[in-house]
């Protein structure tokens, strides 16, 4: 069995529509489940000053903040 390659993930994200690419990037960076991103946070849970997204009421009942990286200029 072949191992997962980061380049494959980058290719999928680069080929995806911008809305899906954003979701995939956040899932990858935060290690978040799809359900956590779709149901566990809202736009109000995004702090653009500190670049933190907080997932509410996670599997263990806690709120979990996730630091988002600054976007690199290409």
């Amino acid at each position: 069995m072949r191992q997962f390659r980061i380049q494959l993930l980058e290719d999928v994200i680069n080929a995806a529509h911008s809305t899906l690419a954003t979701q995939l990037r956040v899932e990858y960076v935060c290690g978040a489940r799809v359900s956590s991103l779709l149901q566990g946070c809202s736009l109000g849970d995004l702090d653009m000053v500190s670049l933190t997204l907080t997932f509410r009421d996670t599997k263990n009942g806690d709120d979990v903040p996730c630091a988002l990286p600054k976007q690199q200029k290409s």
Side-chain angles (χ1 to χ4, degrees):
M1 184 168 107
R2 295 182 69 182
Q3 292 185 350
F4 173 79
R5 294 178 301 130
I6 291 293
Q7 185 60 46
L8 176 60
L9 178 60
E10 290 174 359
D11 291 344
V12 169
I13 290 173
N14 289 334
H17 186 272
S18 61
T19 54
L20 181 58
T22 301
Q23 178 181 335
L24 291 171
R25 284 185 183 105
V26 172
E27 289 170 8
Y28 175 71
V29 168
C30 295
R33 294 178 172 90
V34 173
S35 60
S36 293
L37 190 58
L38 296 178
Q39 301 168 1
C41 61
S42 67
L43 191 55
D45 295 320
L46 177 62
D47 182 345
M48 292 299 291
V49 175
S50 65
L51 288 177
T52 303
L53 178 62
T54 302
F55 295 97
R56 305 289 177 190
D57 195 27
T58 60
K59 195 172 181 179
N60 63 1
D62 295 332
D63 291 348
V64 177
C66 176
L68 301 173
K70 292 183 180 180
Q71 183 177 359
Q72 298 175 359
K73 295 181 181 180
S74 341

